[in-house]
Amino acid sequence: MSATPIATAADATSTERVQQHRRYLMCRPEHFTVSYSINPWMEPSRPTDTSLALQQWQSLYDTYKELGHEIELIEHVEGLPDMVYTANGGFVIDGVAYGPKFRFRERAAEAPAFIDWFAANGFEVAEPVEVNEGEGDFLLVGNTILAGTGFRSTGDSHREVGEVFSREVVSLTLTDPRFYHLDTAIAVLDPVEGPGGVDKANIAYLPNAFDERSQAILRERYPDAIRVSDSDGAVFGLNSASDGKNVIISPRAVGFEAQLRERGYTPVMVDLSELLLGGGGIKCCTLELRGGAR
């Protein structure tokens, strides 16, 4: 889809940001629970409240709609509680959907459900050979794909995603098991780079989630990035979604909120504390659909 600005501005500067129309895939958490543990956040012995998860998820959905964005829904399959984290269900650029191949057997059955949805909704599907968990570990920043490894997606998937989309891939290594996907440690603040957007897309990130080599890469490539504190990272502050102006974040990430305001963004707080019990937040529940049939 074309990235048509909702609001117009000559330039997206540090004081005036341009909101971009976005299209997202979400999954209503009708069967959400924590019945197994595949990340440090998941404790099956800790009770979960599905009705509260639904209520919080609805707040996120309503926020996107109120901001003028489009939402597509995939049906939540019973027995697959983590399907609510749609970001892991693929990586979509220009109408091509690179499908997921989950590391853990508990989530393996999600892959065909997402791939079937893409095929039925007009996307060209690239089925994976390598283990990858979609936009959990692949983030598009301008024309560059940042790719995470260390816990879920493997290095070979970085080569594969580069071949699928014919774009530069920059590999980054995560070292803290709490931040097991790239989208828990990096937030893309500018979804559109170039005409109608910013001159150079920027990010926010948690330095201590990465090894030294990756930190050096991020410093060099994104010297103006927002570096988020450990305390804000620990409440999944970076697991956020941005339309170029509005940045949807956890209400507990108070330092990050202030940093965003200083840069001219508008923080919008949505509490997904119940879904965090499964190790996911705002971005985890949000898969960007770039291009494809409408």
Side-chain angles (χ1 to χ4, degrees), residues 150-173:
F151 297 101
R152 297 293 183 88
S153 303
T154 66
D156 286 342
S157 67
H158 297 185
R159 171 194 54 77
E160 188 172 65
V161 76
E163 292 174 353
V164 168
F165 294 111
S166 299
R167 300 196 182 212
E168 178 190 24
V169 176
V170 176
S171 293
L172 303 169
T173 301

Side-chain angles (χ1 to χ4, degrees), residues 4 17 46 50 59 62 79 87 108 132 149 156 174 177 181 183 212-213 227 239 248 293:
T4 303
R17 299 290 173 179
R46 185 176 181 179
T50 303
S59 294
D62 291 343
N132 82 89
T149 191
D156 286 342
L174 296 158
H181 276 146
D183 69 355
E212 289 293 336
R213 181 195 67 87
R227 293 172 177 82
N239 194 243
I248 320 303

Side-chain angles (χ1 to χ4, degrees), residues 42-208:
M42 303 178 80
E43 298 180 17
S45 61
R46 185 176 181 179
T48 54
D49 186 336
T50 303
S51 63
L52 179 56
L54 278 162
Q55 178 183 332
Q56 292 181 344
W57 178 94
Q58 189 66 47
S59 294
L60 179 62
Y61 176 94
D62 291 343
T63 297
Y64 287 143
K65 297 291 283 186
E66 288 165 7
L67 290 171
H69 303 310
E70 290 181 70
I71 306 296
E72 305 287 348
L73 293 174
I74 183 171
E75 183 179 353
H76 197 169
V77 177
E78 189 171 3
L80 300 177
D82 286 349
M83 267 191 78
V84 62
Y85 307 125
T86 53
N88 307 148
F91 186 47
V92 183
I93 303 175
D94 296 335
V96 177
Y98 175 51
K101 185 175 181 180
F102 290 92
R103 175 184 173 187
F104 292 105
R105 59 177 177 78
E106 288 89 346
R107 298 196 67 180
E110 293 179 41
F114 280 106
I115 288 171
D116 288 349
W117 187 92
F118 291 130
N121 284 273
F123 293 88
E124 178 185 341
V125 175
E127 297 210 23
V129 174
E130 307 297 343
V131 172
N132 82 89
E133 300 198 351
E135 210 168 41
D137 273 331
F138 300 132
L139 298 174
L140 183 64
V141 186
N143 289 316
T144 300
I145 297 170
L146 300 184
T149 191
F151 297 101
R152 297 293 183 88
S153 303
T154 66
D156 286 342
S157 67
H158 297 185
R159 171 194 54 77
E160 188 172 65
V161 76
E163 292 174 353
V164 168
F165 294 111
S166 299
R167 300 196 182 212
E168 178 190 24
V169 176
V170 176
S171 293
L172 303 169
T173 301
L174 296 158
T175 57
D176 187 328
R178 295 174 301 165
F179 308 107
Y180 56 92
H181 276 146
L182 193 65
D183 69 355
T184 67
I186 291 180
V188 181
L189 300 178
D190 306 303
V192 177
E193 182 179 270
V198 296
D199 291 337
K200 180 173 174 55
N202 204 7
I203 65 169
Y205 70 98
L206 176 64
N208 290 341

Side-chain angles (χ1 to χ4, degrees), residues 245-249 256-262 264-269:
K245 179 179 180 180
N246 304 288
V247 186
I248 320 303
I249 66 170
F256 186 32
E257 176 189 356
Q259 289 174 303
L260 289 167
R261 292 191 188 280
E262 290 171 0
Y265 297 98
T266 301
V268 179
M269 274 59 75

Side-chain angles (χ1 to χ4, degrees), residues 271-292:
D271 180 19
L272 290 189
S273 56
E274 194 66 18
L275 289 164
L276 183 56
L277 298 178
I282 290 162
K283 179 64 187 75
C284 289
C285 295
T286 309
L287 174 61
E288 181 104 22
L289 299 175
R290 306 176 186 88

